[in-house]
Amino acid sequence: MQESRLFKIVYHLLDKGQATAPELAQKFEVSVRTIYRDIDALSGAGIPVYAEAGRNGGIHLMNNFVLDKAVLSEEEKQEILTALQSINFVQNIGSSQTLQKLSAIFNLSSENWLEVDFSRWGNKGTDNEKFELLKSAVMHQKCVKITYANSYGTISERIVQPLKMSYKSMAWYLKAYCTKKEDYRIFKLDRIIDLQVLADSFCRRSFPELDELSGQTYHTIVLCFPQNMSYRVYDEFDKTQVSRKENGDLIVSAEMPEDEWVIGYLLSFGAQVDIIEPAYLGNIVAEQAKKIYEKYIC
């Protein structure tokens, strides 16, 4: 029990920088005297922890202290290296030698057995540069001016406060506060045509849960695909959303927004999809397909 508490005290000090004995006593539900005994035990074990008296005093760790490699299990060390390998598409990871340094500390091979690249085919440099700029803006709380193409085809300029990068359903998104709309918005990175990191800073805030966002409603859409579309169905839908009929057809039931994007998405399947529910959505897609046909018919 004491050993577990000792590690937790070290982790807390690494995270917070300092703490008072009464704070630690309350956090770990022990007496202040016990905390001082723990500090003595940590110091005796070689952990550079010390206490300062006075108004601004408290319990500290020496600057630049890091936990010894023995604190992490072999599996945990390998998980850290794997996590770094899995994000090698970010330029700074490869150039900073972070992976090599940790490999040396852990005494483990950093053999590159795993590679994850989220950039589009033939466009690695541009995608990575965009990702790196936005990542820096999020971390340093800098406003960003973007030129964005929305799902309705409208191109506009926005100034946003970038809050978080999110990867979902095979695409990167930027969760941000849009100063133009005075509300939270999600921007697909592929649709950010141009961006400029500004000198203006903003105060960090939390991005709300999706169900708290306004202006976007989802409905259950039921689709039927022939068996030869299995490759794309399982690419784009989770297996829990898919059932198979006796003749091999695939039935997909998914929550999707009813907007211009979903119309274009369904049209991308051509004649290889039947819209079962809602029926009116099939009529909308058919009308749009008719307009496309009339546009190109001789």
Side-chain angles (χ1 to χ4, degrees):
M1 182 69 178
Q2 182 194 22
E3 181 180 354
S4 174
R5 187 175 65 251
L6 293 179
F7 279 127
K8 289 178 180 178
I9 290 174
V10 174
Y11 291 140
H12 183 81
L13 293 176
L14 283 170
D15 181 43
K16 303 298 183 183
Q18 71 171 45
T20 65
E23 287 173 358
L24 293 174
Q26 182 178 7
K27 179 176 178 62
F28 298 110
E29 298 180 348
V30 295
S31 68
V32 172
R33 180 172 296 183
T34 297
I35 290 296
Y36 280 120
R37 283 201 297 264
D38 289 343
I39 299 305
D40 288 339
L42 287 170
S43 180
I47 303 296
V49 60
Y50 63 97
E52 278 188 340
R55 181 177 179 182
N56 297 318
I59 298 169
H60 307 257
L61 286 168
M62 286 183 62
N63 291 338
N64 301 321
F65 169 74
V66 295
L67 286 176
D68 185 79
K69 60 184 180 182
V71 173
L72 298 172
S73 68
E74 294 298 312
E75 182 178 358
E76 289 170 330
K77 288 184 278 188
Q78 191 60 62
E79 285 177 355
I80 291 173
L81 295 181
T82 299
L84 286 176
Q85 289 171 347
S86 70
I87 56 173
N88 65 352
F89 68 99
V90 181
Q91 294 172 347
N92 283 351
I93 292 296
S95 61
S96 67
Q97 298 183 335
T98 304
L99 185 61
Q100 291 89 338
K101 289 179 181 178
L102 279 178
S103 298
I105 292 173
F106 294 162
N107 194 26
L108 289 176
S109 170
S110 61
E111 185 176 346
N112 201 11
W113 65 273
L114 175 67
E115 180 178 356
V116 178
D117 188 347
F118 294 110
S119 61
R120 290 168 288 184
W121 289 103
N123 198 35
K124 184 171 184 176
T126 304
D127 284 343
N128 284 358
E129 181 182 4
K130 184 189 299 182
F131 182 96
E132 188 67 21
L133 287 171
L134 290 172
K135 181 192 78 171
S136 177
V138 171
M139 295 177 65
H140 296 96
Q141 296 167 242
K142 295 295 185 182
C143 294
V144 178
K145 182 179 180 180
I146 64 173
T147 303
Y148 189 71
N150 67 18
S151 58
Y152 297 97
T154 303
I155 297 177
S156 62
E157 286 191 346
R158 317 268 191 103
I159 293 179
V160 302
Q161 299 172 355
L163 304 175
K164 184 181 293 187
M165 305 285 287
S166 174
Y167 185 80
K168 185 176 179 62
S169 187
M170 300 182 291
W172 277 105
Y173 296 87
L174 174 68
K175 294 183 175 181
Y177 182 85
C178 177
T179 59
K180 180 179 180 179
K181 299 295 185 180
E182 297 185 343
D183 202 357
Y184 297 92
R185 290 291 187 270
I186 299 177
F187 301 95
K188 191 173 183 180
L189 259 64
D190 290 347
R191 296 182 190 160
I192 298 179
I193 301 170
D194 195 16
L195 68 92
Q196 176 187 358
V197 179
L198 305 177
D200 299 335
S201 300
F202 62 91
C203 295
R204 190 179 301 280
R205 63 180 86 190
S206 298
F207 192 86
E209 296 296 329
L210 285 177
D211 56 6
E212 297 176 13
L213 294 175
S214 60
Q216 186 70 293
T217 57
Y218 287 75
H219 303 273
T220 300
I221 296 177
V222 182
L223 310 170
C224 180
F225 298 91
Q227 187 173 358
N228 63 0
M229 292 297 290
S230 295
Y231 73 96
R232 188 169 171 190
V233 168
Y234 288 108
D235 267 353
E236 302 179 26
F237 297 98
D238 186 81
K239 66 179 182 180
T240 59
Q241 299 172 310
V242 182
S243 61
R244 188 179 294 271
K245 298 173 65 176
E246 289 185 4
N247 66 355
D249 287 353
L250 300 168
I251 303 296
V252 172
S253 179
E255 296 291 318
M256 305 176 76
E258 291 188 16
D259 56 15
E260 292 294 325
W261 172 85
V262 82
I263 303 302
Y265 177 71
L266 294 174
L267 284 169
S268 72
F269 289 98
Q272 299 296 308
V273 61
D274 288 327
I275 302 171
I276 300 175
E277 294 180 11
Y280 63 81
L281 186 59
N283 296 330
I284 296 173
V285 172
E287 185 63 29
Q288 190 65 31
K290 181 181 177 182
K291 290 180 182 179
I292 296 172
Y293 171 78
E294 292 174 346
K295 181 176 182 179
Y296 292 104
I297 191 68
C298 295

